[in-house]
Amino acid sequence: MIQRSKDSFLGRVRASLDDLHPAERRLGRFLCDFPGELASYSAQELAELANVSKATVSRFVRRLGFDNYEQARRLAREESQTGSRFFLGRAGELPASQWLDADIAQGKDNLERTLRQIGEEAIDALARRLLAARKVWVVGFRSSHAFAGYLQWQLTQVVENIVAIPGGGETLGEHLASVGRDDCVVVFALRRRLASTATILEEIVRTGADTAYVTDEGAEPRDDLRWHFRCQTTSSGPLFSHVSVMALCHQIISRAIILAGAGGRARLQCIEGLNDRLNEL
């Protein structure tokens, strides 16, 4: 497990900058700006990108305490899996005229790979379970908090007893104490996940509730949960792409509304009638 300390790859680089020779320092500063380059390229390719010699790259990694370039690259690769935005940057970025096309192409690929892998059957099964549950709990922290709130807001149209947790000033334990085996829990855990995510899942599993786990492709598959939906978040830029996550939410919500049938339509009509009478919209 990579620790965020001076022993991490970036920590070693930053701690060594002042003691490096000029060419090595240039390489070190380059990697501080674009650490993903070492994880992605060979020593020769990195040398060309940083405008130094291959020998400089070799000396540099040895000064950092690595036996060779491959060992340094493995550590950088492992650290990149934590989800740090720093590792998404690339020195050879696209010209501005190609950004939009690259994002569109990447977004399409993420959508295709995510939804094809998950499949209609799994989405349909989750939608049915959400409608049948005594109560639906939607969990999300950090960047995942927004997706939890969105799913809860949209599903309220046909799922009467649903809540996004935890709310402001609340602890998760205050809610998990009420979760039972007749319930359904949807957990969003996209990079960068809380360090306590595994413990949280263990406690949810302990309740006996059916659980849907929504993550990025970097999360290890969880066979102990009823559903684990892994969304592709690859991006052509410095941030993760969440297009596929929103698409998955849309599919779940749409299927739930359709499967709710007459009862769902009656609730929707009631909501619309109240909105009109209250003049809220």
Side-chain angles (χ1 to χ4, degrees):
M1 179 67 68
I2 297 298
Q3 301 295 320
R4 295 251 169 222
S5 70
K6 66 180 181 179
D7 293 325
S8 70
F9 170 69
L10 282 179
R12 292 192 194 194
V13 174
R14 290 171 180 145
S16 302
L17 282 177
D18 292 340
D19 299 324
L20 297 173
H21 295 302
E24 294 168 1
R25 189 179 302 119
R26 183 164 66 250
L27 174 59
R29 287 172 177 163
F30 173 83
L31 287 171
C32 283
D33 290 334
F34 303 102
E37 301 297 358
L38 185 139
S40 303
Y41 294 114
S42 68
Q44 183 61 51
E45 291 169 328
L46 177 63
E48 292 174 0
L49 284 168
N51 195 26
V52 298
S53 67
K54 186 177 178 181
T56 297
V57 174
S58 297
R59 287 195 303 271
F60 174 80
V61 296
R62 286 197 298 272
R63 285 186 187 278
L64 294 184
F66 298 103
D67 293 334
N68 51 53
Y69 181 79
E70 285 305 314
Q71 186 183 58
R73 186 157 72 160
R74 279 197 303 274
L75 184 64
R77 225 176 246 156
E78 290 172 13
E79 193 168 349
S80 71
Q81 293 304 308
T82 65
S84 173
R85 293 179 184 87
F86 285 114
F87 283 87
L88 293 178
R90 291 289 183 269
E93 294 184 2
L94 293 169
S97 61
Q98 297 179 30
W99 288 351
L100 184 58
D101 287 343
D103 276 345
I104 291 173
Q106 187 63 67
K108 287 180 178 179
D109 183 65
N110 287 348
L111 282 171
E112 178 78 17
R113 293 170 63 192
T114 297
L115 296 180
R116 293 297 183 197
Q117 180 185 29
I118 293 172
E120 296 177 5
E121 185 177 342
I123 294 173
D124 195 74
L126 174 57
R128 291 183 185 278
R129 186 67 188 88
L130 293 170
L131 292 170
R134 179 193 71 91
K135 186 167 184 175
V136 176
W137 312 80
V138 192
V139 183
F141 296 92
R142 294 175 56 83
S143 62
S144 297
H145 180 75
F147 297 110
Y150 176 77
L151 189 74
Q152 182 270 333
W153 169 60
Q154 291 283 43
L155 280 176
T156 297
Q157 299 177 83
V158 290
V159 178
E160 185 173 352
N161 204 355
I162 181 172
V163 61
I165 59 174
E170 301 173 344
T171 68
L172 192 58
E174 290 168 349
H175 294 283
L176 291 186
S178 299
V179 178
R181 64 177 56 255
D182 293 329
D183 298 346
C184 187
V185 183
V186 181
V187 180
F188 287 90
L190 300 157
R191 289 178 291 196
R192 302 171 71 182
R193 281 172 283 280
L194 293 182
S196 58
T197 298
T199 302
I200 291 171
L201 286 174
E202 288 175 9
E203 292 300 326
I204 292 173
V205 169
R206 198 188 305 274
T207 68
D210 284 331
T211 304
Y213 187 39
V214 182
T215 71
D216 54 86
E217 69 278 25
E220 290 295 322
R222 293 288 300 253
D223 296 331
D224 57 326
L225 306 175
R226 184 163 180 183
W227 298 280
H228 183 183
F229 299 146
R230 299 166 77 228
C231 300
Q232 296 294 320
T233 60
T234 303
S235 171
S236 59
L239 297 174
F240 298 114
S241 170
H242 293 126
V243 171
S244 63
V245 184
M246 287 302 295
L248 175 61
C249 289
H250 173 75
Q251 288 295 317
I252 294 169
I253 295 160
S254 296
R255 287 304 296 159
I257 291 174
I258 292 170
L259 292 170
R265 289 193 296 274
R267 178 172 169 79
L268 284 170
Q269 290 172 1
C270 180
I271 291 171
E272 288 303 315
L274 285 166
N275 286 339
D276 289 341
R277 293 195 296 276
L278 295 171
N279 196 30
E280 287 185 305
L281 301 175

